[in-house]
């Protein structure tokens, strides 16, 4: 990859994040936002943070099942610290955390980088499937709402025509990719092949049901973490499960848009919650409370993990 392109991939998400932070804070008075932070019920926030830590611990333990078929028995502590270090590094360079996590496991557990990185990619495939599953649940629960929303914005005939065009376009694209040997088609086929291979490899594991159980547990905790934190603000007391799911989905996508969801996370939540009649100020305040508390935990635990990893492993080697 050329150097200018590499720089752009790092700089653009940061610039977008800074721009979204400015936009978000221009939409709410700073004293009002500070007051929301002061008035929030921190018992619910602490519960949400605790669920987040538990989900990441489960992620670290789940990875041990993937290392076992490779002939390695890594320590849970190293896996846990590698997970948090990866989250922290993702705030600096997008997707660099996965590379850093594989490197940490290579340095301290002796797992070859390519194999370690391959297991992390397979993990991401499992997580992508779970996110798609949550999207399907949200669509099922709120099909009428979603249909009516688009029907109000667009003429039903135009919506049907647009849907038909998209469906036909998708069909032609599928046929083109299947038959073509162009660089784009090969990349797409390679991605789909890798997705299927990674998903199927889960069922070939010795402890596949434990892995699947942890995956379900992780994503249930993610959603629950989001849900319980809404109770921190009285204005969101009567939020519906559908609003929680839509908010969670958009917030999940926002993390990929900018480094760790900087700026994009609160605004994604505003978009989701206002669709369900929630006021902008409490929705935006909730987004900032949720993002800042979870980010603070990542900075603290991730930073301590990077500092303690060499100390912990030096102790182990000298015993």
């Amino acid at each position: 990859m050329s150097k200018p392109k590499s720089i752009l991939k790092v700089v653009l998400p940061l610039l977008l994040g800074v721009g979204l932070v400015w936009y978000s804070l221009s939409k709410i008075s700073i004293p009002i936002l500070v007051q929301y932070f002061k008035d929030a019920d921190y018992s619910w926030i602490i519960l949400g943070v605790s669920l987040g830590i538990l989900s990441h611990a489960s992620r670290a333990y789940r990875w041990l099942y993937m290392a076992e078929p490779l002939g390695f028995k890594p320590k849970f502590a190293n896996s846990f610290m590698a997970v948090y270090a990866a989250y922290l590094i993702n705030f600096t360079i997008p997707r660099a955390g996965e590379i850093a996590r594989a490197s940490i496991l290579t340095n301290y557990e002796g797992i070859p980088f390519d194999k370690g990185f391959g297991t992390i990619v397979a993990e991401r495939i499992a997580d992508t499937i779970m996110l798609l599953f949550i999207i399907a649940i949200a669509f099922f629960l709120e099909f009428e709402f979603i249909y009516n929303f688009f029907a109000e914005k667009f003429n039903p005939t135009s919506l049907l025509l647009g849907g038909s065009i998209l469906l036909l376009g998708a069909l032609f694209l599928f046929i083109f990719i299947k038959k073509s040997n162009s660089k784009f088609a090969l990349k797409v086929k390679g991605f789909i092949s890798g997705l299927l291979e990674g998903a199927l490899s889960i069922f070939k594991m010795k402890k596949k049901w434990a892995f699947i159980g942890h995956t379900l547990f992780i994503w249930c905790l993610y959603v629950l973490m989001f849900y319980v934190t809404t109770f921190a603000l009285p204005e969101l007391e009567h939020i519906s499960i559908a609003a929680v799911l839509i908010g969670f989905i958009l917030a999940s996508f926002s993390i990929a848009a900018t480094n760790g969801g900087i700026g994009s996370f609160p605004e994604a939540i505003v978009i989701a919650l206002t669709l369900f009649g929630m006021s902008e100020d409490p929705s935006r305040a909730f987004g900032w409370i949720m993002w800042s508390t979870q980010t603070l935990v990542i900075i603290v635990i991730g930073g301590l993990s990077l500092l303690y990893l060499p100390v912990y492993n030096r102790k182990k080697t000298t015993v």
Side-chain angles (χ1 to χ4, degrees):
M1 186 183 294
S2 63
K3 192 173 180 180
K5 194 174 179 181
S6 300
I7 293 170
L8 281 174
K9 288 189 78 172
V10 174
V11 173
L12 283 179
L14 282 172
L15 289 176
L16 177 61
V18 171
L20 285 170
V21 168
W22 175 84
Y23 172 80
S24 184
L25 295 179
S26 72
K27 291 293 182 178
I28 186 170
S29 164
I30 299 297
I32 290 175
L33 181 60
V34 170
Q35 195 61 48
Y36 273 112
F37 269 83
K38 286 181 179 178
D39 294 342
D41 185 343
Y42 279 84
S43 60
W44 291 109
I45 294 171
I46 291 168
L47 177 58
V49 165
S50 302
L51 291 171
I53 294 171
L54 184 59
S55 71
H56 300 325
S58 179
R59 176 179 293 280
Y61 198 85
R62 179 184 69 170
W63 180 79
L64 302 183
Y65 298 127
M66 305 199 76
E68 192 176 349
L70 301 176
F72 295 94
K73 290 187 176 180
K75 301 174 190 71
F76 168 73
N78 279 334
S79 181
F80 179 80
M81 288 187 281
V83 165
Y84 264 100
Y87 287 146
L88 178 61
I89 291 167
N90 273 335
F91 277 100
T92 57
I93 302 173
R95 291 174 293 280
E98 284 73 19
I99 296 170
R101 185 178 166 196
S103 299
I104 289 168
L105 297 167
T106 299
N107 291 335
Y108 298 116
E109 292 292 349
I111 299 172
F113 177 84
D114 56 340
K115 291 184 178 180
F117 188 72
T119 59
I120 293 167
V121 170
E123 267 193 337
R124 290 302 184 198
I125 290 168
D127 291 331
T128 300
I129 291 168
M130 281 303 303
L131 182 56
L132 292 173
F133 180 63
I134 291 170
I135 291 170
I137 292 173
F139 186 79
F140 176 78
L141 289 176
E142 288 297 322
F143 175 79
E144 187 176 352
F145 173 82
I146 293 168
Y147 175 80
N148 289 336
F149 173 78
F150 282 103
E152 285 176 12
K153 300 289 180 183
F154 306 98
N155 182 283
T157 306
S158 301
L159 198 62
L160 183 63
L161 182 62
S164 301
I165 292 169
L166 282 174
L167 191 62
L168 282 171
L171 181 62
F172 281 122
L173 183 63
F174 172 77
I175 295 168
F176 166 75
I177 288 170
K178 190 174 180 182
K179 294 185 175 181
S180 174
N181 288 318
S182 67
K183 191 176 179 181
F184 170 75
L186 290 173
K187 273 189 176 181
V188 173
K189 282 191 273 193
F191 173 76
I192 294 171
S193 175
L195 192 70
L196 290 172
E197 186 180 350
L200 292 173
S201 69
I202 293 166
F203 293 95
K204 296 175 185 176
M205 281 182 204
K206 188 177 179 181
K207 297 179 180 176
K208 57 180 175 289
W209 295 114
F211 179 91
I212 292 169
H214 270 280
T215 301
L216 292 170
F217 181 66
I218 290 164
W219 283 86
C220 284
L221 286 179
Y222 282 170
V223 176
L224 192 58
M225 170 185 71
F226 191 96
Y227 179 57
V228 300
T229 309
T230 63
F231 290 106
L233 297 181
E235 293 86 350
L236 303 183
E237 191 176 14
H238 301 295
I239 192 170
S240 67
I241 295 299
V244 169
L245 289 177
I246 299 295
F248 173 79
I249 290 163
L250 292 187
S252 298
F253 282 117
S254 76
I255 292 171
T258 60
N259 299 27
I262 297 171
S264 60
F265 190 97
E267 289 311 300
I269 288 177
V270 171
I271 291 169
L273 300 193
T274 52
L275 284 176
F276 290 86
M278 301 290 174
S279 300
E280 274 198 30
D281 276 2
S283 299
R284 188 167 277 112
F286 168 71
W288 276 106
I289 289 169
M290 181 89 185
W291 180 83
S292 57
T293 52
Q294 294 295 332
T295 299
L296 179 63
V297 171
I298 288 171
I299 290 170
V300 172
I301 300 180
L304 290 174
S305 295
L306 286 172
L307 292 172
Y308 189 62
L309 269 164
V311 177
Y312 173 78
N313 287 282
R314 186 173 68 242
K315 283 183 178 180
K316 291 293 178 182
T317 55
T318 56
V319 172

